[in-house]
Amino acid sequence: MAKRKRQFTEAKIERMIQEGRGQGSGKDYLPWLTIQDVPSEGRATRGVGWTTGRRHQLLSDIERDYFYLLDYCDDVTDIREQFPLLPLEETQMIAEKIGVEHPKDPKTGIPVVMTTDFLITYRDKTLARTVKPSAELENERTIVSRACLACDEQLGLDAGTSLALFRHFIARKIWSVDMTERIIPTLPAKDFSEKHSDIRLEAKGG
């Protein structure tokens, strides 16, 4: 199978605009870039969002993880990934003004359309966010904590079942935790409580 040409030309950029890339909102939004358009860093993901009801184009593990946080938040009403900074002339002017070279396609030399990883609608505000990998965030964590593994053994469950249920209860907001704190499976579970059924129904995804 022939590989898709990833080089950007003026004709390709114009065609992408005509296709509606980077336009629309909610379920009708089309990302400027898709997984096929660029080589991804890490494992690219196409995930259907609870917030938008559409399949998202996430180009790295860290984009995927940040997307999960956005999709979990009740105050986020729209998530637009790979959002283009158009018109191109404006980013070129900004680059010239601050004295930096505008990004170009390495093969064609054509200035490329810059993007922000996420354009987020949060309450009544629109926020642009770009996420970058960090060595600290990329460290691998232990898959089955000792407490969950002991629970699996005592109940005769497959290894990892209790930990999966723990994560599921948090994702569905059955258990309430401080989402500003990093959840590390190797540490004791603390400071979480059970949500009442009327609150649980407010969680996205049904």
Side-chain angles (χ1 to χ4, degrees):
M1 180 182 294
K3 294 184 178 179
R4 174 177 295 202
K5 293 183 178 179
R6 289 173 170 156
Q7 297 92 332
F8 284 91
T9 63
E10 292 179 350
K12 181 176 180 179
I13 292 174
E14 182 61 29
R15 184 171 67 251
M16 292 170 71
I17 294 174
Q18 294 300 320
E19 290 174 355
R21 300 279 195 102
Q23 302 172 46
S25 61
K27 192 172 184 178
D28 298 324
Y29 173 73
L30 293 177
W32 178 256
L33 298 174
T34 67
I35 291 172
Q36 290 80 15
D37 291 321
V38 294
S40 62
E41 297 178 2
R43 293 180 292 277
T45 307
R46 298 180 183 87
V48 177
W50 292 343
T51 302
T52 64
R54 67 173 177 83
R55 193 171 297 277
H56 289 258
Q57 302 287 322
L58 307 170
L59 306 183
S60 66
D61 289 350
I62 194 170
E63 284 190 16
R64 176 204 62 200
D65 294 345
Y66 187 67
F67 166 76
Y68 288 158
L69 291 175
L70 296 176
D71 207 26
Y72 179 84
C73 181
D74 291 325
D75 290 325
V76 171
T77 57
D78 197 8
I79 306 169
R80 286 173 279 181
E81 75 280 14
Q82 322 309 335
F83 189 84
L85 306 181
L86 291 170
L88 178 59
E89 292 77 16
E90 288 192 7
T91 56
Q92 289 178 299
M93 181 178 64
I94 293 172
E96 182 179 359
K97 185 175 181 179
I98 63 177
V100 298
E101 185 176 0
H102 193 281
K104 297 179 180 179
D105 186 284
K107 292 188 177 181
T108 66
I110 298 296
V112 298
V113 174
M114 299 179 66
T115 62
T116 186
D117 294 335
F118 295 98
L119 189 70
I120 308 156
T121 303
Y122 178 78
R123 296 180 178 174
D124 59 345
K125 299 179 180 179
T126 300
L127 308 172
R129 291 292 183 266
T130 298
V131 292
K132 296 298 181 185
S134 166
E136 181 179 351
L137 295 177
E138 290 297 313
N139 288 338
E140 294 184 356
R141 292 181 286 179
T142 302
I143 296 176
V144 178
S145 66
R146 294 180 180 177
C148 287
L149 182 58
C151 184
D152 290 337
E153 292 176 349
Q154 292 179 15
L155 296 177
L157 302 174
D158 291 336
T161 301
S162 296
L163 183 57
L165 288 173
F166 179 81
R167 289 170 171 165
H168 175 79
F169 292 155
I170 292 175
R172 295 296 182 177
K173 302 182 184 178
I174 297 172
W175 287 347
S176 177
V177 299
D178 184 358
M179 293 301 291
T180 65
E181 294 291 332
R182 184 182 178 191
I183 299 174
I184 303 178
T186 54
L187 297 181
K190 61 178 181 178
D191 298 332
F192 72 91
S193 59
E194 183 180 1
K195 288 280 189 178
H196 296 295
S197 59
D198 57 336
I199 299 177
R200 184 169 64 245
L201 294 175
E202 296 176 2
K204 296 174 184 174

